[in-house]
Amino acid sequence: MIISMSEQATEQEIDHVIQRIEECGFQAHVVRGTERTIIGAVGSGERRSELMALRAAPGVADIVPIAHPFKLVGRQIKQGQTIVNVRGVPIGGPDIVMIAGPCSVESRDQLLETARAVRAAGATMLRGGAYKPRTSPYDFQGLGLEALELLREAREETGLPIVTEVMSEADVDTVAEYADMLQVGARNMQNYALLRRIATTKHPVLLKRSPAATVKEWLLAAEYLLAGGNPNVVLCERGIKTFVTEMRNTLDLAAVALAKELSHLPVIVDPSHGTGRRSLIPAASRAAVAIGADGLIVEVHPCPERALSDGEQSLDFAGFAQLTASLSEPVRKLAVVTSEVAMSTT
Amino acid sequence: MIISMSEQATEQEIDHVIQRIEECGFQAHVVRGTERTIIGAVGSGERRSELMALRAAPGVADIVPIAHPFKLVGRQIKQGQTIVNVRGVPIGGPDIVMIAGPCSVESRDQLLETARAVRAAGATMLRGGAYKPRTSPYDFQGLGLEALELLREAREETGLPIVTEVMSEADVDTVAEYADMLQVGARNMQNYALLRRIATTKHPVLLKRSPAATVKEWLLAAEYLLAGGNPNVVLCERGIKTFVTEMRNTLDLAAVALAKELSHLPVIVDPSHGTGRRSLIPAASRAAVAIGADGLIVEVHPCPERALSDGEQSLDFAGFAQLTASLSEPVRKLAVVTSEVAMSTT
Amino acid sequence: MIISMSEQATEQEIDHVIQRIEECGFQAHVVRGTERTIIGAVGSGERRSELMALRAAPGVADIVPIAHPFKLVGRQIKQGQTIVNVRGVPIGGPDIVMIAGPCSVESRDQLLETARAVRAAGATMLRGGAYKPRTSPYDFQGLGLEALELLREAREETGLPIVTEVMSEADVDTVAEYADMLQVGARNMQNYALLRRIATTKHPVLLKRSPAATVKEWLLAAEYLLAGGNPNVVLCERGIKTFVTEMRNTLDLAAVALAKELSHLPVIVDPSHGTGRRSLIPAASRAAVAIGADGLIVEVHPCPERALSDGEQSLDFAGFAQLTASLSEPVRKLAVVTSEVAMSTT
Amino acid sequence: MIISMSEQATEQEIDHVIQRIEECGFQAHVVRGTERTIIGAVGSGERRSELMALRAAPGVADIVPIAHPFKLVGRQIKQGQTIVNVRGVPIGGPDIVMIAGPCSVESRDQLLETARAVRAAGATMLRGGAYKPRTSPYDFQGLGLEALELLREAREETGLPIVTEVMSEADVDTVAEYADMLQVGARNMQNYALLRRIATTKHPVLLKRSPAATVKEWLLAAEYLLAGGNPNVVLCERGIKTFVTEMRNTLDLAAVALAKELSHLPVIVDPSHGTGRRSLIPAASRAAVAIGADGLIVEVHPCPERALSDGEQSLDFAGFAQLTASLSEPVRKLAVVTSEVAMSTT
């Protein structure tokens, strides 16, 4: 940790900071610059957070933490890649996983029909909302337990493992009884009571990034799960909130590459929420795979224009089949006739 | 609701939309423009959200909702001002309420000392965290029940009603037993399970705005509480996440005026989190009052540089006393010598 | 254009709006809803912008423009794809263009060495800053005319067409004399005086997106160039400003797909500024190509750690060669053994 | 400057960084921590920016600049307050300045009528756009020279000094001939060619903050003006771009307090652009004054609903007179009956 003193800091103020650093069990290294003095606090231990409060000490201009904040999710503890196994489907291995299904489970027919269609098109897991976090209390809130029963039935028929969101600590055990993977929604990424509760199960978890979370905050939310005893965490980028109004969110694909650089956890991408526009989902999916995502989670509905939620960002069956087919098509080539082109212009 | 068709939309696509509107129990009004056709869906009813899915219908370019999304928090239902009474302290009335205290309850001495000091300086309520939402699982997480006991003791001694955050559905009853007002933290603004649980108590609630919430999303979170049966809601602006790096958050003071224009609920401001810089708290507090806030919630600590959390944005006792004193000082005058000045220059 | 009246709007206020719409040469279509009245203004003409001011008329709640704001850059005028020819190199055609070179031209050796290296690795155009927009007036501002001479020399030797930024209206003619393509920097995207001046040349233009521009604002900046008489415009996404601190900007790749959906202009991506981290450039480049970008512009320096600007986001020669090679590698496969995997788990 | 090495950095990499620091004329201070080594570069000189490129050196994790980036705008050079004199009207002194007038100059009647009205209501300066930066090339672009003539006439009649925007380097001399203060618009805050050109006049400058600028970037834009020889700079906060959609911009009032803490330059606030909603202007203006702004710039139009630009955020004459009157009204009182209230509840 680096404590940067203000230019006007007195010797007394500098001494006071040194004393506090040592009180907290760290060593102080003083570097006197031409404009100001900086003090490095070297060491480790639980009282590190107390040092942060020195921002409030007289003469202190700024504090810059140097050490990594992650213990369990970071690359410093594990160079390899974590593979999370969801009822036989590995996430984080050489193949990308394709999770598909409706935003909300609406009926038996809607779910089973979708499950069959996405499996036929190449999906390896089924998604479907039973408990829906909705901005308005007057919007459709999900079928709850009935939806969980239908999801189980869909799995029995198609063999696709299921992932569904759990919104309440009180529902964790019930959802875990039905689902193969528990989803923590974007709005709940920093719902620490829920994270702690889920950490006590060993169920695979899909942790969506909050639309307001930095990459560090996202990884620290995962750290809550690992620190609580559950190492089976898959991260999911689904877009962040920005000033851009033309898309529902701004899909932060570079954050996928960065998360994989900083952490050994698998990372998948949700192009449906990430763009909010059906027409952009295929291109965004291809880009997600190209940037290194371990999988995709895509909303699919038999008739998007009749969906009870997220119709505008759902693919129909034909659209989804085209998407999976397109993922194996080659991208455009880099012009390799460079020399010829260039020569002809000189 | 306005459905805007694309320029290429066919007659068949237009007819299809009209049919869906009528199926959902609304009337369709077609306006044919020079470039495109728009269709107004007139009516009301539960199937409004189904109409939103028409975004996914062929030929539809965009859908614009027209009706207000609020039922209970909006001005259309109540023109006057809601006053929330917290153990005798009214919030939303003619006087502004001043809530002060430490970020975290750390010890009996720290809390009681602070409670006495802020009361002496003019605070009317006491804040103090018992359960702390921390970005890292390795940071101080609060004293929990022990802190609740200390808060109760502080209230008994000083008479100040207390507000403290509740993070878990499982803790709602316990916290409500001790606290006069339940705080929903910014990270939990869209934790609907928690909101629904709190709505079943009639306890006053302090609902902090999520750093990623629009004003509409903030008011809809309050709508969950009112729709669930709890009308005693006070909104709290505490800064939003933006690209600005010099302050912890961007304090959105105009949103306070807008929230009060749209809603009858009281709105207070947290200049500590809103700026994250101790030096800016007094000025931000004055601005908050000037823009119409019904109160302030300010972090105060006996020795900010030793605080276990948020030291850099906490006032010490002298600083807090100066703040309350400054709130009644006049602001700078508008130059009234306009004519003279101007004359002399021509 | 849709004028949505407030719920309290009187008949007189509605009549007033109708009258103003007709005064401006449009037809008014009134739709009376259960909660409020909306009025569609149908027609076209120059006085459309006057209608926007009706937002200020009594009884008006909101105005929603329906028509596309673009005349020349939009798909409604041209379904095909514009190909911009830069001294023989086509941008927007079937092959992707690779533009590479140093952030700033620093010396003859640095530039020529880089030009040779990037050409050998497959680049088809050369970039290099002569006039540098720097946040601080005390940072290196570019070599100016001397750099333009060196760029010309590099083109003569390697045959690579050159693109360089022009910052001042006064420099447009000079830069156009040397460069094959004029770059409008992100900070100048809405410098309309510069855009108008550049439009009078017919030189190809690389228009970088402002870090604060929506897709619509970006396309409207291009509209200034086309409306001014210059159709040879290539758009460049280079990241937007968001709350995310781990990367210099947030690369908005989905905006590339959206810009290509809305417009016929070619779009390229700058992964160097878009991420600000050298380690992310290869993955971001692959994603850009996958999402449909027509090319890339990448910073390359013989020795990034000695670069006078942007060293941290520049590739060295080996890194650039790896990047171009990697662009033709296949991405990871979608798991196609769906059925087997799934079956074995049930 | 602090260079933080990665945990895996080798001794050779550390030595290399030390060597580069010394080559650039700085001293290296090495602090070896338990997890990583940090190196402080102490000294000053022109080659500081070269040190930033060490981010690209092997083994370097991060670089943290410690020194202030400002030379002339910062508090370290001048503790007092700069007062900019605009034809006899001081900005930055004890009284707040009120600048008012139409967004665009539309006609002689419109301008003169407005000038008289705002002067009568207490304005001390007149604003009015002659050259308008418009997002679309098809919107009204201003009357240009004709507007400058009308502004001069309005000043002659009312005695109010005038401020108007200059968008083009080519127009600087002409606008300076007519106007008492040159406005640099938000879109041009980082148009360095324009800043450098304006710096060569000694005319007072109103430098609007870019909607994407941090406080540091805003002050560095001002630094261009001061470094170029023009010390007469007034900063203007007018809202930043955020995810909030209900207001045109997010008015960053705390940035006003921060800018005044960091710099000696006067700061005024534009509540019209800052909120984009007429109803919020009075409250936002009061808050601006309360937070320490040295003045306000407000859009006023004889008939906002017929304005050629920005009608929705313009006050009419009565509204402006109410605003100036309200600025001297007392704000709501802090509840001073704390003890009594509190006592009665225990």
Side-chain angles (χ1 to χ4, degrees), chain B residues 210-223:
Chain B
S210 158
T214 61
V215 173
K216 179 182 152 188
E217 289 165 338
W218 187 23
L219 294 177
L220 281 171
E223 188 84 23

Side-chain angles (χ1 to χ4, degrees), chain D residues 26-263:
Chain D
F26 290 74
Q27 284 178 282
H29 290 254
V30 180
V31 179
R32 290 177 189 274
T34 46
E35 293 176 12
R36 59 178 69 207
T37 294
I38 60 170
I39 307 172
V42 171
S44 60
E46 289 185 9
R47 299 181 66 186
R48 183 184 293 275
S49 67
E50 282 182 58
L51 289 183
M52 289 305 291
L54 280 173
R55 257 189 232 268
V60 171
D62 202 9
I63 293 196
V64 184
I66 298 293
H68 269 305
F70 319 123
K71 293 192 182 164
L72 302 173
V73 306
R75 282 264 170 235
Q76 69 276 19
I77 206 171
K78 181 174 178 183
Q79 281 299 320
Q81 170 69 39
T82 289
I83 296 179
V84 175
N85 193 298
V86 185
R87 209 183 181 88
V89 174
I91 308 183
D95 291 328
I96 62 165
V97 64
M98 174 60 88
I99 308 172
C103 174
S104 303
V105 176
E106 298 169 7
S107 70
R108 187 170 182 275
D109 281 358
Q110 174 242 25
L111 183 66
L112 291 183
E113 208 184 322
T114 306
R116 288 173 205 131
V118 299
R119 182 186 158 176
T124 38
M125 280 182 64
L126 179 67
R127 62 153 290 156
Y131 301 93
K132 298 300 304 171
R134 302 302 298 272
T135 304
S136 165
Y138 309 116
D139 287 340
F140 175 62
Q141 308 277 323
L143 297 180
L145 198 58
E146 183 188 341
L148 293 178
E149 295 278 5
L150 294 172
L151 285 164
R152 177 187 277 172
E153 185 180 345
R155 180 182 62 211
E156 277 167 15
E157 182 185 320
T158 62
L160 297 175
I162 57 181
V163 56
T164 197
E165 178 165 353
V166 57
M167 287 172 61
S168 165
E169 305 155 58
D171 294 334
V172 169
D173 288 335
T174 307
V175 177
E177 199 186 314
Y178 288 87
D180 302 300
M181 185 176 214
L182 303 176
Q183 178 178 314
V184 176
R187 292 171 175 86
N188 279 322
M189 190 199 85
Q190 293 187 315
N191 177 346
Y192 300 122
L194 183 63
L195 295 179
R196 283 202 194 92
R197 183 69 190 75
I198 289 175
T200 63
T201 78
K202 299 296 175 256
H203 246 60
V205 184
L206 186 62
L207 180 65
K208 289 201 148 190
R209 179 181 179 188
S210 157
T214 62
V215 173
K216 180 182 151 187
E217 289 165 338
W218 186 23
L219 293 177
L220 281 172
E223 188 84 23
Y224 266 89
L225 291 165
L226 273 71
N230 188 338
N232 302 310
V233 178
V234 175
L235 301 166
C236 179
E237 159 64 25
R238 44 75 75 204
I240 57 173
K241 278 217 181 171
T242 71
F243 64 85
V244 178
T245 49
E246 290 98 350
M247 293 173 281
R248 182 169 174 181
N249 289 290
T250 294
L251 190 61
D252 187 5
L253 285 175
V256 174
L258 181 58
K260 290 186 71 74
E261 183 178 311
L262 298 175
S263 172

Side-chain angles (χ1 to χ4, degrees), chain B residues 1-5 17 21 37-41 51 54 60-64:
Chain B
M1 195 166 295
I2 300 295
I3 292 95
S4 167
M5 304 300 293
V17 168
I21 289 171
T37 294
I38 61 169
I39 307 172
L51 289 183
L54 281 172
V60 171
D62 202 8
I63 294 196
V64 184

Side-chain angles (χ1 to χ4, degrees), chain C residues 191-320:
Chain C
N191 177 346
Y192 300 123
L194 183 63
L195 294 180
R196 282 200 195 93
R197 182 69 188 73
I198 288 175
T200 64
T201 77
K202 300 294 175 255
H203 245 61
V205 185
L206 186 61
L207 180 65
K208 289 203 146 188
R209 179 182 180 188
S210 158
T214 61
V215 173
K216 179 181 152 188
E217 289 164 338
W218 187 22
L219 293 177
L220 282 171
E223 188 83 23
Y224 266 90
L225 291 165
L226 273 71
N230 188 340
N232 302 309
V233 178
V234 175
L235 301 167
C236 179
E237 159 64 24
R238 43 75 74 207
I240 58 173
K241 277 217 181 171
T242 71
F243 64 85
V244 178
T245 49
E246 290 99 349
M247 292 172 282
R248 182 167 173 183
N249 289 290
T250 295
L251 189 62
D252 187 6
L253 285 175
V256 174
L258 181 57
K260 289 186 72 75
E261 183 178 310
L262 298 175
S263 171
H264 51 83
L265 296 176
V267 186
I268 71 169
V269 168
D270 175 348
S272 301
H273 288 87
T275 64
R277 293 173 79 117
R278 195 169 23 156
S279 64
L280 301 179
I281 293 173
S285 298
R286 285 162 64 86
V289 173
I291 214 162
D294 295 296
L296 297 166
I297 180 165
V298 178
E299 291 185 340
V300 178
H301 193 281
C303 181
E305 67 167 279
R306 286 172 183 263
L308 294 184
S309 54
D310 284 357
E312 69 277 17
Q313 68 191 35
S314 296
L315 297 178
D316 59 16
F317 297 161
F320 180 68

Side-chain angles (χ1 to χ4, degrees), chain A residues 240-262:
Chain A
I240 57 173
K241 278 216 181 171
T242 72
F243 65 85
V244 179
T245 49
E246 289 100 350
M247 292 173 281
R248 182 168 174 181
N249 289 290
T250 294
L251 189 61
D252 187 6
L253 286 175
V256 174
L258 182 58
K260 289 186 72 75
E261 182 179 311
L262 297 174

